[in-house]
Amino acid sequence: MKKASRMGSLSSGVFNEMEQRRKNVESRGIKVINLGVGSPDLPPAQHIIEALKKSVENPLNYSYSLGGTSRLYKAVAGWYKKRFNVDLNPDNEILALMGSQDGLAHLAMAYIDPGDVALVPDPGYPIYSFSILMAQGEVYPLSILEKNRFLPDLSSIPEEIARKAKIMWLNYPNNPTAASADREFFERVVEFAVKYDILICHDVAYAELAYDNFKPMSFLEVPGAKDVGVEFYSLSKTYNMAGCRIGFVVGNREVISDLGLIKSNIDYGVFFAVQEAGIAALTGPQDCVAETARTYQRRRDVLVDGFSEIGWLMPKPSASMFVWAPLPPGYSSSTVFVADLLERAGVIVIPGVAFGKQGEGYVRIAMVEDETVLAEAVNRVRDNFKFK
Ligand SMILES: Cc1ncc(COP(=O)(O)O)c(C=O)c1O
């Protein structure tokens, strides 16, 4: 086949590779503990499932939805106001997505021509750079380093790159580093975006998975943010609805309209029943969200305390469903350590380098198993490695 050159910039991904290795290890009779993919193992609340069920039974709900319903957009606006005190106009500042990934993947189609520059965090969630590469743009990696609290150092971006850049991707609470951003950082981002005329795209997928009473903020809380950017929100993690594809993008109305135009040429909207499930999630009781966060917090403590006790030291994240762990003593390559961990302990984590060059030296552990399984993972590592 005569493939497009962009295919060269895509890989089938570390997850497929890990899946292959998992099968090899399991064929030897070892039950692998998979802390690789960040797919929630918890169920959605019953009222969300009920709303979906009821709506699935209505034959009128099977036409193309052609976008979000006004009921969904009002629910989103109400939720954003209550959670972040951010005002959104349901008529033109919200767009429904088939999962936030849909928007993250397609936005570049509206803004990036071949050769255009986008600022993309390194390490970062892979779709930010893939979306730019698929539009044949150029990725300028923004290193996010521990010494800078995993925030990009905007002052280190060369002037000519800042002038050329059209988009900057940001994501806090962050995947994979689990870091969070503060108001002061977002204020500097808005200032930078105004100065260089850059569209800010903030992904806030993990805002509700936060611990020890921490409440992550929305980028749109900062004055002027809506003039320069948009924010992507996902129901996947907050409400454990990852396979029930729904998310949304909010903020700058020109961007919302442009992405809406692109999408209207690609898909015909989110299934009405899934929209109803989303409305039930956003407007229903929120104790399920607090319960989910408490569950992850307990898991975090089992993992981080357990590994630290056996000499693999790692910080406790204040948000996200991940632990971003520096390599244990004796290792300098994340891929070598990950291979060893699977072979010797039957535990899968993701090598940091899979998220970009600056991810080397770390692994990402997803807290997607219950506490007893995580304790078992710690025991297996204790029995098969000596870090002290
Ligand atoms: C940072 C981040 N953004 C977006 C997504 C995609 O979420 P959705 O299920 O809404 O497409 C993920 C999924 O893991 C993620 O980690």
Side-chain angles (χ1 to χ4, degrees), residues 38 99-102 104 125 128 171 175 203 205-206 234-237 242 245-246 322:
S100 61
Q101 188 89 349
D102 165 23
L104 302 174
Y125 181 57
Y128 311 139
N171 161 225
N175 178 8
D203 177 358
Y206 295 101
S234 168
L235 276 72
S236 299
K237 312 295 159 83
R245 305 296 297 140
I246 184 160
F322 307 109

Side-chain angles (χ1 to χ4, degrees), residues 42 208-214 289-305 316-323 367 369 371 374:
L42 300 166
E208 304 319 301
L209 304 187
Y211 315 118
D212 310 317
N213 299 318
F214 173 55
V289 179
E291 184 52 41
T292 296
R294 277 196 295 274
T295 302
Y296 282 113
Q297 182 172 326
R298 284 194 301 271
R299 293 175 175 188
R300 175 200 69 170
D301 292 344
V302 167
L303 260 185
V304 175
D305 293 343
K316 271 192 185 176
S318 56
S320 89
M321 65 198 293
F322 307 109
V323 176
M367 301 188 275
E369 291 283 0
E371 289 159 65
L374 296 178

